[in-house]
Structures are given as structure tokens and as C-alpha cells.
Amino acid sequence: MAQTPRLPELSACPTCAEPLEPGDLFCGGCGRDLTVAEQPAEPTPAAASGANGAAAADPGLPPGWFRDEAEGPEGRTAGAPDAVGGEADPRAGEATPPLASPPPPAQPPVRFDERAPGAAAATPTVPDHPETLADFTLGDPESDGFHLAAPESDPDHYRLAEPLGSETRADEFETEGPAQPPQGGDPRAAAAQSGDPRAALGTPDPAAAEAKTVEVKHCVACRTGTIDADGYCENCGHAQPRERDHVERELGGADAPAVAAVSDRGLRHHRNEDAFALSTADLPDGGSAVIAVVCDGVSSASRPDEASEAASIAARKSLGASLPLGMHPQQAMHEGLVAAAHAVSALAADTGGIAGAHQNAPACTIVSGVIANGILTVGWIGDSRAYWIPDDRTAPAARLTEDDSWAAQMVAANLMSEADAYADARAHAITGWLGADAHEIDPHTASFKPEGPGVVLVCTDGLWNYAEAAADMAAAVPADARTRPLHSAQVLVGHALDGGGHDNVTVAVLPFPSADVRARIPDMA
């Protein structure tokens, strides 16, 4: 059994030299604890342990006591078992003073809102919590159990919340390559790249401004007045067209134009439902052919503008493919009309599966003229017409087509005179057209060999309503129509507009004989 350690006998306090009596545990003068012996010099690490690695006796502890390194500098509490004998300390229950000198005073905590006297200014790294910065102190990460996670270990922790109602789409951003600058760019960067400080202010370059030429447009009706900012002629007051409302084309050189056409919306319709297509084709014998196709959409049908456009393009392509193969122009014309009919019928397939939708399928009429090897060939379905106007106005003009209409049938059956038939409200009811709801198509073709020069007109009823007879049409055609076909087409459209413009107006003018335009001009629609 371990014995109680004997305390040293002191006659005076080692600190203040106050006389002591036997059994005193504390000095009456300074209050020193007399049970604690004087601390010798701190041993070297080599002397701190025995030869066998056992812990050496701590001089700050009574004999037989050993310090447990896991318990810190305060040692065991009173009454703890002896490290050797396992007996309890007889002084259990008493307040045990520290068994060793107290550790050096800890450094005062560092606050982010204060600076130690004389310390250099520094910017600590702190978490993103501004509301707690005033009360947050840094401690030792090991002893306090506190550490900051590496940013890459939790990439979503510091992600900013998205604004309410926002949606992020992957296709709105580039997945590779450098970051793109904001739309519009930095005006300072533009100025730096161009070297012109006016670029930053958006000031135009005077030299560039002078280089720009303003195209002056003239009225399509009177052809003399200029157009104001609202789109009206300042001379006659006609509203000017937009996009397809007014289209003009001419093929061939300025010295020898081959064909020209003009189409206009008119003054009563809200859109232009007419269409035309112009083209040339190389013939096997080395010559060339000139092609003009004019179509008139049926207003009572659905999508008449699409029907006329599809028919004109299909007929032009078919003629352009057949003629170079040596096919006779009249046979090529027949195949062109059939191709146009198929193109319009195909538009009716887009009905969404609605039963009976074919009853109001897209529909149009068509007329076409081809000049090749001194032969004039025309083809038509419906009431669009072709006229021959000779240069010699003493020679008679002629209408080259017969209408597929109610009025034409009345005249052909000798039931009404031509004047009375066309004055009837049913005169323009057509009996032949292109479309899925046409019971059958009956392409009409005819070939002519004029004796002298002149022009061929292919037009819609928007024009011939104001010049129905051939003589009236010849009176409206300018005398220089063969050398200036585009100007003549413009004049004829103006004639219809001046007469009231109740319908869309389209006319193509083909000079005869045609100029040699082999491989010089592209197809146009």
C-alpha cells in the first residue's frame, strides 16, 4: 500500500520569511501554499524520461504522482487513483490548487472590427456573413474544432440564388470558346479598334455619309411624282405598294430587252393575289426562247396568293426544262400547264385532315407566252388573256385566247351578244381553273407566226377589264413598247389604276421577234 507523502518541514516562509509553526499549510503573511516545494530548473527532454521510455517524475507533483498528458496542465483532480498503487488521495474533496505553474497567458482574441495597437493593417479572409463580422473571432482550428471548407469541396454553397421568375436555357449560352461581350459592345472598345473617337459617340463619318446615295422613287401610277414619308405620291396621291403589292422585272440587256412584267395590288384589294414568272431557255439549235407566265389567284378560294405563285413557278420550270430538250413549244406549253395544275392541287393537301376542306382549295388561272425560233405559242386555263399588238398600228391587233368563263360560253352558244354577256354580273364566273377542286383541267394551247414585229401581252383580268377589246388594248400600249417593254408594262398598269383599280393588275410584255439572250440572263419569278 502506498504511504501518504511527507511534507517538508519549514520554519519560515520561503517567500516572505514569515515564521511558521509546525503543521501550517499556508503562510500567514503572504498566503503561499507551503505544500508546494520550490520548482527546480526545467529538465531537458533527455532527462524527462527513463531508459525504458517511462515517464519521469514531475517535480511539480508530490512524490508518487504522475501527470497524465491527456489531462492538460492541471493534472488529476483530488481523489484520483494513484498512478502506482491505485489508492485514492487522502485529500479528496478538498480544493486542489494547481499542481504546476500556470501556462503562459493566452493571446487576446482577434476581432475583425478591431486592430491590435501598433499592428499593421491586414485584410483577413472571412466567410460571407456580414451580419456576424462584429462578433466573430478566429480561434485555433485544431482546438476549437472549427475549419473552413475548401471552396471546391462545396461548389454550390456560395452560388447566388437566381432571380424570381427567371429561367435559364442551355441554348442561350456558348458552351465553348471565349466569353462573348454584351450585345451592342462597349463603345470605347469600338473607338479603340477604329481609331476614331466618333465611334464611341455614334457620330457618323461625314465621308461615309456623303458616299451614300438616296434613291428617289417615283409614283407607280403617275410615274412623275415623288413619294412622301407616309408612302403616298405627292403628285397624284396614290398610296405606294409594299413588298409583293408592286413588283417589276425585266430580262435582257438595256439595248435589247427580252421580256418585262409588272404586277400591282390595285386600289381595292388588301393584297396582291397575282403572280408572274419570267425566264429564258437555250434551244438545241443554238437559239433562245423567252418565257412569261402570269397567274391570277381566285379570291373566293383559300390562299389564292399561294396558288398563283406556285403555278407560275411550276410552269416556268417545266417550260425551262422541256424546251432545251428540243420539245415542240406547243407540247412543252401543254406540259407546263399540267405541271402548274399539279402544283396548285398539292397545296390542298395542307388541310389538317378536315373533311370537305378540298371544296375551298387554293385556285388560280394561268396564261403563258413563249417566243422561240420566230414562233409565238400561248397557253391558258381560265380567263387570263394574251393579246398581239403590232408595231404598225394600222394593222389589226388580236386577242389570242378564249376565256373559260360564263360570259364566253354564252357568246359561244349564241345566247347573248359579247357586250351583253360581259355586262352581266355573272360574266367573270370562271368555268376553268387550276386547283384540287377542279373537276378536270383542259389546257388550251395555240401557236402563231406574226408577219411583222410587235409585242405580245399576257395579262390578268385586272387589266383587260379596262381595255377588253383588242383595239382598246392596242390604244393603251405605247408606240415604243417593243423597245421599252418595262415602261410599257408600267403604263398599262397605270391605265388600270386610273380606271379604278378594282382588281389586282398584272401584265407581261414580250417583244417579237425576241432578242438573242442565250445564256445571258437567269430565271426570275
Side-chain angles (χ1 to χ4, degrees):
M1 178 179 294
Q3 297 181 352
T4 302
R6 181 176 296 179
L7 299 175
E9 296 291 342
L10 298 175
S11 59
C13 176
T15 301
C16 63
E18 177 74 18
L20 302 174
E21 296 182 0
D24 287 343
L25 299 178
F26 296 92
C27 174
C30 66
R32 172 172 176 154
D33 186 358
L34 301 178
T35 62
V36 179
E38 288 289 335
Q39 297 292 335
E42 186 173 344
T44 61
S49 59
N52 59 355
D58 191 335
L61 296 178
W65 287 66
F66 296 88
R67 184 182 303 278
D68 188 350
E69 295 299 335
E71 295 177 354
E74 291 78 13
R76 293 180 182 271
T77 56
D82 190 286
V84 176
E87 296 293 330
D89 189 352
R91 294 172 294 175
E94 300 179 5
T96 305
L99 300 180
S101 59
Q107 295 295 329
V110 179
R111 294 171 60 94
F112 290 105
D113 57 347
E114 295 179 356
R115 185 185 303 173
T123 304
T125 303
V126 297
D128 251 343
H129 300 290
E131 66 275 10
T132 61
L133 292 181
D135 302 323
F136 186 85
T137 60
L138 287 178
D140 180 41
E142 298 295 336
S143 61
D144 292 352
F146 171 81
H147 69 280
L148 292 177
E152 60 271 14
S153 65
D154 190 9
D156 293 333
H157 181 71
Y158 298 103
R159 181 174 296 172
L160 296 178
E162 296 180 359
L164 294 177
S166 67
E167 295 182 1
T168 302
R169 295 175 49 189
D171 59 355
E172 291 177 349
F173 302 96
E174 293 288 340
T175 56
E176 294 182 357
Q180 299 296 325
Q183 186 175 2
D186 188 351
R188 294 170 296 182
Q193 293 178 1
S194 64
D196 188 352
R198 291 172 298 187
L201 302 177
T203 305
D205 186 358
E210 293 177 0
K212 295 181 179 179
T213 58
V214 179
E215 181 183 358
V216 179
K217 295 184 178 181
H218 295 281
C219 177
V220 298
C222 68
R223 297 177 297 283
T224 57
T226 57
I227 311 306
D228 62 16
D230 295 330
Y232 289 86
C233 175
E234 295 178 338
N235 180 44
C236 65
H238 274 292
Q240 301 305 296
R242 301 177 302 274
E243 296 290 339
R244 189 172 165 179
D245 286 354
H246 185 86
V247 184
E248 298 183 358
R249 297 285 189 274
E250 184 176 50
L251 297 184
D255 54 340
V259 60
V262 175
S263 181
D264 191 88
R265 176 176 60 91
L267 305 179
R268 302 294 181 91
H269 282 241
H270 68 285
R271 64 183 175 187
N272 189 0
E273 298 169 356
D274 289 355
F276 66 83
L278 308 179
S279 181
T280 62
D282 296 336
L283 300 179
D285 60 2
S288 61
V290 179
I291 304 167
V293 183
V294 171
C295 297
D296 182 1
V298 178
S299 298
S300 59
S302 62
R303 297 147 56 199
D305 53 332
E306 296 181 28
S308 61
E309 183 177 23
S312 63
I313 294 175
R316 185 258 297 170
K317 289 183 176 180
S318 177
L319 287 166
S322 300
L323 293 173
L325 299 178
M327 185 179 295
H328 190 278
Q330 199 163 346
Q331 179 62 31
M333 180 67 71
H334 183 278
E335 294 190 2
L337 297 177
V338 173
H342 291 329
V344 177
S345 297
L347 296 177
D350 186 16
T351 60
I354 302 175
H358 65 281
Q359 295 179 2
N360 195 28
C364 70
T365 65
I366 185 172
V367 62
S368 178
V370 172
I371 298 177
N373 294 330
I375 302 296
L376 167 62
T377 302
V378 295
W380 72 97
I381 299 176
D383 62 349
S384 294
R385 294 181 177 180
Y387 289 86
W388 164 251
I389 310 296
D391 279 356
D392 183 4
R393 297 304 169 89
T394 60
R399 194 177 85 190
L400 306 179
T401 58
E402 293 291 337
D403 298 343
D404 289 324
S405 66
W406 179 89
Q409 287 186 347
M410 295 297 104
V411 174
N414 292 322
L415 297 177
M416 300 178 68
S417 67
E418 185 173 359
D420 293 338
Y422 282 99
D424 193 281
R426 298 166 289 181
H428 291 281
I430 57 177
T431 58
W433 63 89
L434 305 180
D437 56 352
H439 299 292
E440 61 181 11
I441 60 171
D442 183 17
H444 311 293
T445 61
S447 292
F448 306 89
K449 190 173 183 178
E451 295 180 355
V455 293
V456 180
L457 307 182
V458 288
C459 63
T460 61
D461 60 348
L463 172 61
W464 65 254
N465 277 334
Y466 301 98
E468 182 178 333
D472 295 336
M473 184 67 72
V477 175
D480 59 352
R482 189 168 60 88
T483 58
R484 300 177 64 193
L486 179 59
H487 171 260
S488 299
Q490 294 170 341
V491 170
L492 291 171
V493 169
H495 176 76
L497 295 178
D498 290 341
H502 288 75
D503 199 356
N504 305 144
V505 187
T506 302
V507 59
V509 179
L510 295 85
F512 181 91
S514 62
D516 185 6
V517 291
R518 179 179 173 86
R520 287 196 303 160
I521 50 181
D523 294 347
M524 301 186 72

